[in-house]
Amino acid sequence: MNRATDYGALLQQNRADVLRALGIKFDTMAALGRVAEDDQAQLSHDEFISLRMNSLEYEKLRLLNEALLRLERGEYGICAGCDGPIAEKRLRALPWAKYCVRCQERAVDSEREDSLRMLDPVGSY
């Protein structure tokens, strides 16, 4: 098996896992039906957690779909920041990675700085 096929299978398996997890969560919530008033606070909290988890799963699904598209285009494993190769160890750990470690760190630092600027637009931090 070649590298693209290996990563394609890994991405597809991760995608299937995410879709399966999302389906189980919706089935579980639907099966609850009506609950006693005393249980409503706990149910509301559980729904909040479930929705947050679902949003994370949907984000992961989006990243997996983007990675599959990059694979299809022949761009998989190439850093979107510097056009250098993404280390195989990183791709095995995060098959949806679109940045090498160095560029990912820069992106995180940039996001952090943007967040600080939004909190304090005057720049007194």
Side-chain angles (χ1 to χ4, degrees), residues 8-121:
L10 184 60
L11 289 165
Q12 290 291 355
Q13 181 59 51
N14 274 271
R15 188 175 186 280
D17 292 345
V18 168
L19 290 171
R20 188 172 24 263
L22 286 169
I24 290 169
K25 289 175 190 171
F26 285 122
D27 290 346
T28 302
M29 293 303 287
L32 290 175
R34 292 184 55 91
V35 296
E37 193 172 316
D38 294 344
D39 296 329
Q40 194 62 43
Q42 182 62 45
L43 181 62
S44 293
H45 174 73
D46 293 348
E47 284 179 359
F48 172 79
I49 298 296
S50 181
L51 288 171
R52 180 65 182 137
M53 297 290 288
N54 281 351
S55 71
L56 294 172
E57 292 294 320
Y58 277 117
E59 176 64 14
K60 185 176 178 180
L61 182 61
R62 183 184 67 76
L63 293 170
L64 286 162
N65 286 335
E66 287 178 0
L68 285 164
L69 186 58
R70 287 193 305 276
L71 186 67
E72 186 179 298
R73 292 178 177 166
E75 301 167 358
Y76 184 80
I78 300 169
C79 178
C82 67
D83 291 329
I86 299 173
E88 192 163 332
K89 184 176 179 180
R90 179 166 172 75
L91 290 174
R92 288 280 172 205
L94 294 170
W96 54 85
K98 64 180 175 180
Y99 296 108
C100 66
V101 172
R102 182 173 291 150
C103 289
Q104 182 66 48
E105 288 172 350
R106 287 183 193 143
V108 169
D109 289 345
S110 177
E111 285 178 19
R112 191 175 298 126
E113 288 174 11
D114 289 345
S115 294
L116 287 174
R117 274 191 217 99
M118 288 176 38
L119 292 173
D120 185 12

